[in-house]
Amino acid sequence: MHCCIGVELPAASDADALWERYELQVSPAVEGSEEAMQTLALFPGVLPAERSEVRRLLRDQVGAALLQQPAHIGGGVALLRLVRDTNMPAMERTRKMLDVRQELDSTTKYEKIHAQGLSLHTLPGSNELREATWQINEWIGVDAMGDVVVYERWGAVNPKILMEKMPVEAYAQWDAYRWEARAMVLDLLSRRARRVVRFAIVIDTRGFSIEHRKLLNHVKEFVGGTHIWTVPELRSTTHFVCGNQFIRVVYGIAKNAGFVSDNIRATTFLISGDNPFASSTDFAARFKRHNLPTTVGGTLQVGDASVHSPKLIPTSPR
């Protein structure tokens, strides 16, 4: 039984943070309409209205297109995510997802990830991103909701090196792969846990300065890039921690430019101070100290991160 879920079902836990567990345990390649409804029947808490909306999607013209998609896009769990998405009505959201997937050739990315056994940390562009000083751990642990925790160190980014080695076009291409891989992993985890598993992002902005304004185009891509529409809604919350006036300015510019949806605004939190566990009771209730580095009030040493996940590296000199 997972303490954060309270039911005797398999669930995501810290010990699950090992990609090899899932290399041979992928979601079904395609899930038919009857199988999709059978999947949802295993999930406690799915409302009758949600089941009806899923059926409506499958019976609409988009249904045929959905049934040709891999299960993390057109299966029961994915359809439930679409129905629960507050960004726009489910039918409109589904059509937009399918259109953008065709535009960006997302199926080819899925096939490449699957065929090459790529993980969240070995996607095309991952090494280049790390060399460009953008440090990420896509699965540093799980939070009190049972959602996967993503940790990024924006304050450690060297803007000059990033612009040289990972221009925004290359970043967008890598991020498109990342969203596809996230959808694949979270679909599988949800099926195991029999609940919709999402991810929560903790972004460490310690060291963010006026120089980081050069990252504005990368931030815009991160917040509102086209690729985020290629999969159902996966994110639960975003916490910018150890924040200062500069990150507030950059985020404010992104909001004013229209790149931040109402849903993102409602689920994004900027926390000032050196220790978010001390600054925010909500943060302390949701996240575990042993899953986050000492630089943000956790207990992980930089370089350790997790025995299951790629190591974080020290801040690169500027």
Side-chain angles (χ1 to χ4, degrees):
M1 183 172 71
H2 192 271
C3 64
C4 305
I5 297 174
V7 292
E8 294 185 358
L9 295 171
S13 68
D14 294 337
D16 285 330
L18 189 63
W19 176 259
E20 286 79 3
R21 289 179 182 271
Y22 309 109
E23 284 187 324
L24 301 178
Q25 300 179 39
V26 297
S27 299
V30 175
E31 188 170 58
S33 57
E34 299 228 351
E35 291 90 343
M37 299 310 300
Q38 289 170 3
T39 295
L40 293 188
L42 300 173
F43 282 50
V46 179
L47 300 175
E50 293 174 331
R51 296 180 194 276
S52 296
E53 187 66 10
V54 168
R55 288 192 186 94
R56 190 171 77 90
L57 288 175
L58 289 169
R59 291 170 180 167
D60 189 82
Q61 291 180 345
V62 300
L66 285 170
L67 294 176
Q68 294 176 13
Q69 296 291 327
H72 66 281
I73 300 300
V77 180
L79 297 180
L80 183 58
R81 292 185 194 275
L82 291 166
V83 166
R84 290 179 173 178
D85 192 340
T86 60
N87 284 295
M88 62 183 67
M91 190 66 69
E92 181 182 351
R93 177 66 172 88
T94 302
R95 287 173 175 157
K96 180 166 187 173
M97 178 184 72
L98 294 172
D99 288 344
V100 177
R101 286 186 66 80
Q102 183 173 9
E103 176 187 343
L104 299 184
D105 197 15
S106 297
T107 298
T108 297
K109 294 179 176 64
Y110 156 70
E111 291 171 348
K112 183 172 183 177
I113 292 169
H114 189 277
Q116 297 184 14
L118 301 177
S119 78
L120 287 164
H121 293 100
T122 60
L123 300 170
S126 293
N127 288 335
E128 291 81 355
L129 191 69
R130 284 190 286 271
E131 291 174 359
T133 72
W134 194 306
Q135 300 303 315
I136 296 173
N137 190 310
E138 284 288 329
W139 195 339
I140 205 167
V142 295
D143 64 14
M145 304 297 291
D147 290 341
V148 173
V149 179
V150 179
Y151 174 72
E152 302 200 9
R153 302 181 68 213
W154 286 18
V157 172
N158 183 313
K160 181 179 179 181
I161 295 177
L162 181 69
M163 299 297 288
E164 291 174 353
K165 294 191 173 184
M166 198 72 171
V168 68
E169 296 80 9
Y171 173 83
Q173 179 70 1
W174 165 80
D175 209 21
Y177 273 100
R178 174 165 71 160
W179 279 98
E180 193 73 18
R182 280 173 168 171
M184 294 167 67
V185 172
L186 293 176
D187 186 80
L188 178 59
L189 289 177
S190 297
R191 291 170 185 273
R192 293 183 62 231
R194 297 182 186 175
R195 56 177 289 273
V196 176
V197 177
R198 300 181 292 176
F199 71 89
I201 314 175
V202 176
I203 300 176
D204 181 1
T205 64
R206 184 188 301 274
F208 210 85
S209 69
I210 194 171
E211 283 297 306
H212 287 86
R213 72 187 187 281
K214 298 175 183 177
L215 306 184
L216 183 58
N217 287 333
H218 287 75
V219 173
K220 289 179 180 177
E221 195 67 35
F222 173 88
V223 173
T226 305
H227 48 271
I228 69 174
W229 299 106
T230 60
V231 298
E233 179 64 55
L234 305 174
R235 185 189 62 88
S236 56
T237 58
T238 301
H239 288 78
F240 291 94
V241 301
C242 304
N244 57 30
Q245 61 186 20
F246 299 111
I247 186 62
R248 292 182 182 277
V249 167
V250 170
Y251 181 66
I253 292 173
K255 284 199 301 183
N256 294 334
F259 290 99
V260 182
S261 68
D262 290 341
N263 174 266
I264 292 177
R265 293 186 190 209
T267 54
T268 297
F269 309 93
L270 278 67
I271 304 175
S272 302
D274 292 334
N275 185 344
F277 288 96
S279 300
S280 170
T281 54
D282 289 341
F283 185 91
R286 178 154 193 167
F287 298 99
K288 306 171 186 177
R289 288 181 183 272
H290 68 267
N291 281 336
L292 291 172
T294 55
T295 52
V296 295
T299 59
L300 287 176
Q301 296 294 324
V302 172
D304 293 338
S306 165
V307 294
H308 303 294
S309 303
K311 294 181 178 181
L312 296 167
I313 64 173
T315 304
S316 300
R318 300 193 185 283

